[in-house]
Amino acid sequence: MDFAEAQKEALGCTKCGLCHSRTQVVFGEGPLNAELFVVGEAPGFNEDKEGKPFRGASGMLLDRLLDSLELGRERVYLTSLVKCKPPGSPPRPPKPSEISACRPYLVAQLAAVDPKVVVALGDLASRVLTGRKEAVSRIRGRAIPLDGRYVFPTLSLTRALYTPADRALLISDFSRLPELLEAERPSTYETLNVTRSPAEREPVQPGLW
Ligand code: SF4
């Protein structure tokens, strides 16, 4: 599935039960040539209302973090593991079956954007994108070479919003991103079968989960 097909399908998707708790699908946004790709857990109330990722207080915190790196939101691709808001207030975390159902859209986004650095925000995104079982607090702030790019797990924006000590850790982690964005890509591409040049890509065989 290419990016355009993924976007078109996702906007009307009913593949998992989260289609019942959303107001609208939040597919993601950003330039398809972005070097930095940020993945959250799931849309929340504000994202669901506006149809765009990272709004409200979390979005403002992310904007401040990106501004501090002189990287505006418009230069970053933003999305989440699942594209529909889970039920509850606050919304519950997405279930493994929901993340799995939504996986082809994230894989299509990653293949199209082919970023150098993927920031995984929070425990779930960290586990899904790195394939590691450790809590994000144990592996945060490390650049993990995977699929020809660096996966960079860090704390969730929500956690940082409510806990000053975690906010300081998140700011510290984000301060490493310019260095990573300047670095050469790691040379392994085997897991996702995504080559660096879009013209050379073969069909994606998802290997993230
Ligand atoms: S979360 Fe993903 S798989 Fe589930 S209904 Fe929404 S778009 Fe479809």
Side-chain angles (χ1 to χ4, degrees):
M1 187 187 322
D2 69 17
F3 183 89
E5 288 166 342
Q7 188 166 32
K8 187 174 174 206
E9 184 180 306
L11 292 178
C13 182
T14 56
K15 285 199 298 181
C16 83
L18 297 186
C19 66
H20 300 297
S21 52
R22 74 178 184 227
T23 307
Q24 51 189 324
V25 173
V26 183
F27 184 71
E29 67 177 5
L32 294 188
N33 62 354
E35 294 230 293
L36 183 61
F37 189 103
V38 177
V39 184
E41 191 170 276
F45 175 81
N46 291 300
E47 291 79 13
D48 181 65
K49 191 171 155 200
E50 297 187 39
K52 293 180 182 296
F54 298 109
R55 314 311 274 191
S58 297
M60 285 194 277
L61 175 57
L62 179 62
D63 286 342
R64 285 208 300 277
L65 288 164
L66 294 174
D67 285 347
S68 73
L69 311 179
E70 298 183 359
L71 256 180
R73 167 186 283 254
E74 67 285 350
R75 290 174 56 195
V76 181
Y77 196 89
L78 305 171
T79 190
S80 48
L81 294 176
V82 295
K83 315 304 185 197
C84 303
K85 183 183 82 63
S89 182
R92 64 157 170 78
K95 298 175 183 172
S97 60
E98 294 159 350
I99 294 171
S100 179
C102 217
R103 175 186 68 190
Y105 304 138
L106 180 59
V107 170
Q109 289 169 310
L110 273 170
V113 178
D114 194 20
K116 189 190 285 183
V117 180
V118 178
V119 175
L121 292 170
D123 249 331
L124 262 181
S126 168
R127 288 183 173 148
V128 166
L129 287 157
T130 65
R132 297 191 180 194
K133 290 189 167 56
E134 297 110 309
V136 69
S137 52
R138 292 182 66 86
I139 58 170
R140 49 152 279 275
R142 294 188 208 165
I144 299 170
L146 203 66
D147 310 327
R149 53 180 65 101
Y150 295 103
V151 178
F152 188 77
T154 187
L155 304 177
S156 75
L157 296 168
T158 310
R159 185 166 161 176
L161 272 177
Y162 293 108
T163 313
D166 286 340
R167 190 155 59 244
L169 293 175
L170 186 67
I171 291 167
S172 162
D173 288 350
F174 263 72
S175 72
R176 286 206 54 208
L177 291 175
E179 173 198 336
L180 272 185
L181 289 166
E182 287 295 315
E184 287 293 313
R185 283 176 182 256
S187 58
T188 55
Y189 288 88
E190 54 273 5
T191 309
L192 251 184
N193 194 22
V194 175
T195 60
R196 188 182 308 188
S197 161
E200 295 168 12
R201 285 192 196 124
E202 296 170 12
V204 171
Q205 296 299 319
L208 287 177
W209 293 271

